[in-house]
Amino acid sequence: QVKVVESGGGSVQDGGSLRLSCAYTEAPDSEDAGCQYDMSWYRQAPGGNREFVSIIETNGRTNYADSVKGRFTISHDNARNRGSLSMNNLKTDDTAMYYCYVDCRGFTYWGQGTQVTVSS
């Protein structure tokens, strides 16, 4: 079992920046102990569906939703079990709960989320 914890959310004005962090801990005797995880970020706005934001694979390859390309940057230190999502030029449409998701060979885990609110 893996515990995933996000942090770094908050309230900013339009055009501001935030950096979200994601840390995960493994149980040493779990079936997926020692796994190398892909890390993703998703978000869910009030009344909306959870949507993909970004992913970084263990080989370093990244992908972003079109709505955040050029503004968000994902990173992941697999050796330290932590990663981040740097968000610049934030817009009111970025307001949402942001979730970190890690995945390895079908073992998938979600965090509880961290709220990002962007005001005009």
Side-chain angles (χ1 to χ4, degrees), residues 10 13 20 43 47 51 57 65 67 70 77 79 83 90 93-94 100-101 107 109 111 116 118:
Q13 290 195 320
L20 307 183
R43 66 186 182 186
E51 64 176 15
E57 299 176 5
S67 59
D77 185 340
L90 282 161
D93 286 347
D94 295 318
C100 180
Y101 169 83
F107 295 100
Y109 304 95
V116 172
V118 185

Side-chain angles (χ1 to χ4, degrees), residues 6-7 11 16 19-21 27 34 36-37 43-44 49-50 58 63 72 76 80 82 99-100 103-104 118:
E6 305 95 335
S7 61
S11 297
R19 183 173 181 269
L20 307 183
S21 295
Q36 297 294 299
Y37 293 89
R43 66 186 182 186
Q44 187 167 13
N49 296 320
R50 193 169 294 190
T58 54
N63 195 21
F72 290 13
H76 182 204
R80 298 189 176 203
R82 64 184 62 180
Y99 298 91
C100 180
D103 172 21
C104 176
V118 185

Side-chain angles (χ1 to χ4, degrees), residues 32-98:
D32 55 334
C35 213
Q36 297 294 299
Y37 293 89
D38 294 338
M39 177 178 283
S40 301
W41 288 89
Y42 286 75
R43 66 186 182 186
Q44 187 167 13
N49 296 320
R50 193 169 294 190
E51 64 176 15
F52 167 79
V53 175
S54 182
I55 184 171
I56 181 166
E57 299 176 5
T58 54
N59 60 12
R61 185 167 58 188
T62 60
N63 195 21
Y64 297 90
D66 287 344
S67 59
V68 307
K69 277 182 183 176
R71 300 188 298 122
F72 290 13
T73 303
I74 191 171
S75 67
H76 182 204
D77 185 340
N78 221 313
R80 298 189 176 203
N81 292 356
R82 64 184 62 180
S84 67
L85 183 70
S86 294
M87 307 184 296
N88 297 315
N89 191 21
L90 282 161
K91 306 175 182 180
T92 54
D93 286 347
D94 295 318
T95 294
M97 185 72 78
Y98 283 71

Side-chain angles (χ1 to χ4, degrees), residues 5-27:
V5 179
E6 305 95 335
S7 61
S11 297
V12 295
Q13 290 195 320
D14 193 16
S17 299
L18 282 173
R19 183 173 181 269
L20 307 183
S21 295
C22 175
Y24 53 96
T25 55
E26 300 173 283

